Amino acid sequence: YDGLTVPPVPLDAEACPHADLAQAARRAWDRALELGQAHGYRNAQVSVVAPTGTIGLVMDCDTTGIEPDFALVKFKSLAGGGYFKIINRMVPTALAGLGYSEKQIAEIVRYVVGHGSLKGAPGIDHAALRTRNFTDEAIEAVEGALADAFDIKFVFNKWTLGEAFCTGTLGLAPESLDDMSFDMLHALGFTADEIQTANTYVCGAMTLEGAPHIGDEHLGVFDCASACGRTGKRHLSVESHIRMMAASQPFISGAISKTINMPGRATVADCKDAFMLSWRLGLKANALYRDGSKLSQPLQAAILDDAGAGEPAERPAAERIVERVVEHVLGERKRLPQRRKGYTQKAIVGGHKVYLRTGEYDDGGLGEIFLDMHKEGAAFRSLMNNFAIAISIGLQYGVPLEEFVEAFTFTRFEPSGIVEGNDSVKMATSIIDYIFRELAVSYLGRTDLAHVEASDLLPDSVGRGQTEGRPAAPASANRAFDAVKLVTSSGYVRNKFVVFEGGIAAAEARTGDGALALVGGTATPAGGAGAAGVDARIWQGAAPRTGRVREARIKGFEGDACSECGNFTLVRNGTCLKCVTCGTTSGCS
């Protein structure tokens, strides 16, 4: 840039309607050239614009970046509870630039932020309070608290006036003073209109709409992202946000971290149109936020009361009220019986032993879990124990097991890896992932979270043999399983219980490894008992043949004999077979 000269261009007010702005831009550029010549030039590339509201408070800024102000008067929620008020400090400067006198500016600002005193207030003033037995000391206490109040109703309480004054002088019931929804002004006989009028006088309207002296043509200067105050209606359109970002996007290599505020009445179609406009203008990011869509909204343009009076008036009253109602229902805890069913599952996850113990209700529903681990320190073991207690309490208060499964499956941390000892879950990304996969398979039938299905381990998993094409299991089978759940753990018998009906099926019932077979019909191993059904039934342990078949399937044996050693221990090896006994392959090396 050294030696660069910019030829002067005459700027005529008639030829250029924005000559003043152009002159200001020229002076700014000339100043930049002077500073560059004096201190050197720097080649800076802006990668992203990320305005945030919190850092603006530290920097004493009303806004940061290209973010428009949320509202002229904002209420920011604090992490520890409560709010504090943020007032835009540029309003007086802007009014002076628009030609308003100092007296007019003072009256306008008073209208926006309030007088901070009930002296001379309409509806509720010092005289009105004295007629209701307020003493000078009580009025002075109220005045001292009004300076920082968001609403005059927050000042009239037992902490400001003293409980003795409220109960003795004002005659209010002690239990009413402890009620968070108690409105002392209403109890003293003031009407809603009187309270609202006095509140506007003391705490301000929080908007320039309706302010004295302000011209309608100047209201657009003070438009914010949201409608201001209780009565404000004006706000920046969604399109204005997007077009302002589009003007800056060509100079930024990254995206613009900026919230595009939408009014509470915005619809899904409005959101779609906003994204489409952002795409057409070449924006790299678009973060929409509908006002009031979160209960924990950090910034608010007004403190909302129970009736939703602080929300913009253009929204239907029914919609405002419905969105303000938050139902808090604490379910009754359903405790488990003193002697309860359940099962214990031992497994090894990533080399660490894990013992899972469950407790069930009489109907077979899961009500508690216990966790124990081997070779873990006291801190980790305590965390697992307390985690199990938290899950158990949630289950007993009615939290569906499905919610826990969706929340905790696929969590990833060590130990993780191969799971040994579980017939369905063979791999887990963490201990928690394994636990809730196991519970989902046992109590929800979520075979999609299992790696091996029970049907894959049965001898008849491919084809049904003699039962092919026969009708589905009769209703008595379901009744039988319901009867079994009354006396044994539903989680334990998830893959170990089969109902057989009739002669041939009864013979098949003798082929299970540790399975419980409920046999009914005319031909049972114990001699049978008349017509088919579950009324005549016997419990029997099954022969070990099926157990060997299931073990072979788990190990992956294909069922063919090895050509070298003759053992039936061939497993799939790519497209060929390999013998795990002698190592011979069927053709692959």
Side-chain angles (χ1 to χ4, degrees), residues 423-507:
D423 57 354
S424 296
V425 182
K426 300 300 179 182
M427 184 70 65
T429 57
S430 64
I431 296 292
I432 301 300
D433 176 57
Y434 157 73
I435 291 170
F436 286 96
R437 282 178 183 269
E438 162 63 26
L439 294 176
V441 174
S442 298
Y443 292 99
L444 302 179
R446 290 285 300 273
T447 56
D448 57 308
L449 295 176
H451 303 96
V452 178
E453 293 188 26
S455 59
D456 296 336
L457 304 178
L458 295 176
D460 58 350
S461 60
V462 180
R464 294 295 176 179
Q466 301 179 22
T467 61
E468 187 77 33
R470 289 192 176 185
S476 59
N478 296 328
R479 295 197 302 271
F481 186 67
D482 292 338
V484 168
K485 288 193 297 184
L486 295 177
V487 296
T488 187
S489 167
S490 60
Y492 177 79
V493 300
R494 66 180 189 195
N495 300 326
K496 303 177 181 294
F497 178 71
V498 185
V499 177
F500 297 95
E501 303 253 353
I504 296 177

Side-chain angles (χ1 to χ4, degrees), residues 1-36:
Y1 300 107
D2 193 15
L4 177 64
T5 58
V6 179
V9 178
L11 293 176
D12 187 1
E14 296 181 357
C16 180
H18 302 289
D20 294 339
L21 294 176
Q23 290 287 4
R26 171 177 289 177
R27 288 193 298 269
W29 179 245
D30 291 341
R31 177 60 176 165
L33 288 177
E34 293 176 4
L35 294 175

